[in-house]
Amino acid sequence: MSLDIHYKEDFKDRHIAPNTEDTKAMLHTLGLDSIDELIEQTVPQKIRLKQPLNLPKAKSEKDYLSSLKQTASLNKVFKSYIGQGYYNTTTPGVILRNVMENPGWYTQYTPYQAEIAQGRLQALLNFQTMVIDLTGMEIANASLLDEGTAAAEAMFMQYSLRKNQQAKKFFVSELLFPQTIDILVTRANPFGIELVVGNHEEIDLNEEFFGAIVQYPAGNGQVFDYTGFAKTAHEKNVKVTVVADLLSLTLLTPPGEWGADVVVGTTQRFGVPMGFGGPHAAFFATKDEYKRSIPGRIIGVTIDSNNNYALRMALQTREQHIRRDKATSNICTAQALLAIMAGFYAVYHGPKGLKLIAERTHGLAVTLAKSLEKIGYKQMNSAYFDTIQLDLGDLADSIHRECIDNEINLNYKGGIVTIALDETTSAEDIQLLNKIFSKVKGIPADQAELTEGNVETVIPSALQRSSSYLTHPVFNKHHSEHEMLRYIKSLETKDLSLCHSMIALGSCTMKLNATTEMIPVTWPEFGQIHPFAPADQVAGYYTVFNELDKWLSEITGFAAMSLQPNAGAQGEYAGLMVIRAYHQDRGDHQRNIALIPASAHGTNPASAAMAGMKIIIVKSLENGNIDVEDLKAKAEENKDNLSCLMVTYPSTHGVFEESIIDICNIIHENGGQVYMDGANMNAQVGLTSPGTIGADVCHLNLHKTFCIPHGGGGPGMGPIGVAKHLVPYLPGHAVVDIDKGKSIHAVSAAPWGSASILVISHAYIAMMGGEGLKNATQYAILNANYMKARLEQHYPVLYTGSNGRCAHEMILDCRSFKNFGIEVVDIAKRLMDYGFHAPTVSFPVAGTLMVEPTESEPKHELDRFCDALIAIRAEITAIENGNSDKIDNALKNAPHTAAVVTGDEWSHSYSRKTAAFPLPYVAEYKFWPSVGRVNDSFGDRSLVCACPPIESYMEETLV
């Protein structure tokens, strides 16, 4: 027996599920001898890469973690008092282990199928309730991307709601955090909004203003009384947005009580690590009268088919996939996982616990301020919560050196320094700061004693909170760890995730999120770093960024990447703004027309509208491809004003269109740029690339192709790659110098977006290597075509390539079933009884299912899913033939809950077994939907977006 002493396990064999026998069997079904033969029939030869990807050799999981640990050690975890919207926090262990590090929570998809998402919907409803209570507002959404983005959304909402169409000015307090102002500049520019940055106590608001925004507490830490400002603004028909610190609102009068129209901010300090900038959940709260204009997603209370309490995403008409260029925002990915964590943090601590944390933080700030004043420092804030401001004069450099020697970061701006305390600050930390400041003054440390005992607040009585908050039982009974653990698990068990079965969502690419990829995210060297930490303290992060930039540029065929956009839709927007800047820099200010195919992702027209572009739709042919003649005609007709084409490749119809190079050439010949939507990069990597095809810019959904998990509706990342001529325009940042020469203003609050989760994609590429990534793409195409071969005899497949192949996804046509009373939504709900999440419903074609299996699913799982759809087709045939009742059938009544199936009464024309165990495999492991089919219209008629006492709500609504 010979021994292989050089053997190392390949990660790609863990990521790509089909084994050799599976591969042979699937190829046999397709009538093929090799995967190469399938690729030849699927991907046009003229766009194929001539050389393999030039990437480092793949690492094993063990070797990768070992090398990354060395890289991580280059990051210096200093004690941060920088503040500016980012704070150290303590993530309760029960939340860290059972939510953030738990695939039962982080592999869920956006809760579009509410019946199997009741757990995360309840957790998000808790989040909304927490935000409503603390801000004093009437309605809140289920999170946005970050604080700066939320502020920009507030500005745009107020701009859209303005009654005086001539009002174009928006007042911005100069004491907003600089990164927020930076994003406001970005978002204001395309609409001609004039930002007036200044002092809120001096500004003269008039009819030219439509809105104003202030920070509470202000960026320098001062707590202002904005009551008079809000009153004056309203007298001038100016709406007021407040950027608020949520923890401070346990002590401060909430903005909703002194006149705010919108309150936004971040929930990062509610148990979510800083992570060098993200991911974190922003919040957006407003008045009930603006509920139809609020951006993002809202979770609402309704009832199910059994008249029981149920939840779902409310007011779906605001979704950009439906309203397209008329959408209120281009927000697609939110920050659901982080919102869930923040909501659980409030549940864990409750109102008393949160107030104690706030009082302790405030008390230590007061103690530090008094101690430093005692030794001769000038503290400039008269009222503050957690941040003091010192005028250090010529002592600033000496203080800075001493702090660095003691591994401490403060926030310096010339001779002015702010010190922001947080939940993790201790009395010992205060003592150390005191000693440092004493030493610089030449005062013996033993003479600089801290204030003993309790301290008096410096918050004026008029601004001290008197109203109650978090009174709902959910925030007042889960405070022991046992209770909290059981509560988290009780919600988790209501949700279907990748832990249970494949989620074959077309365009959403629900693939393996490997544990090894996830592990480093919570390492302190990555999690506990402030995004504005000095560059010489974050060499580890820079190493990851530089390598990821290089690797993604190689994969896309582009010159460089911006890692800043923290969602796919944000990447679309950033790419379009880069194109806009390029045209304007060349003097082509008139180029504002975006050509968008009728089949495009819904976020495409929404993003183009946000970038101030005029949208012209390009027709599709009957086979689903872009009508090249129509494109050419419209490009030539608008050649003087053409800005760009937005195109998805492979197409949203799941086809490699053979005319794509010609399409790109037409746009370039008429002076435009080609923006490629990278949602379908899972069918490109290693086989072709946006740069090879002829695109100028492309965003990548790292939460799809590159394995960042969806997290129940976020986090995501949407970095953009650009051709050489666009590199100078990539996004910059107001705080950290990443300017490329002619950079547009920031699109995200942090310079590298949600930096901590970039490690996941870095790990995926490093462990797969070039060959592994190409194999993953090939198997994604193989799995899709195998499923197509099994399903097309039962469901017509709408679009295919010239050789009858699909790319990595396909569209099943279900429209004919309407002839005998079955809608596509009935199939979606019935799939739950078989243990599956539905594919993408009615997108991009109404009445269809878009199926994408990914390379991470083994053949037996593909077969289970196919068996389920084929069995459902047989159930539809029974209705068609009259063998099943047209009204009382398993599809119309799906999904079936355990309570219904095991109830004393059963009056249906089909059996309980048919309802709950329609195929033998279901009995081996049954996932029970926790509610029956939700009633969307009922919920929209009586919109409830906060936690109601269940008993009183049901009594009220069911009478």
Side-chain angles (χ1 to χ4, degrees), residues 333-350:
T333 304
Q335 299 285 17
L337 180 68
L338 297 314
I340 287 166
M341 287 180 62
F344 277 142
Y345 180 91
V347 170
Y348 179 79
H349 287 292

Side-chain angles (χ1 to χ4, degrees), residues 753-774:
S754 297
S756 65
I757 58 174
L758 289 172
V759 175
I760 300 168
S761 298
H762 183 272
Y764 173 64
I765 297 171
M767 294 189 296
M768 290 291 282
E771 180 186 357
L773 291 173
K774 178 182 177 181

Side-chain angles (χ1 to χ4, degrees), residues 791-810:
L791 292 171
E792 61 189 351
Q793 301 304 314
H794 308 276
Y795 299 85
V797 174
L798 268 186
Y799 306 111
T800 60
S802 57
N803 295 312
R805 303 300 184 190
C806 65
H808 62 314
E809 60 190 3
M810 77 211 77

Side-chain angles (χ1 to χ4, degrees), residues 597-618:
S599 62
H601 280 108
T603 50
N604 287 179
S607 295
M610 297 298 289
M613 293 184 180
K614 179 183 177 183
I615 297 156
I616 296 178
I617 301 299
V618 177

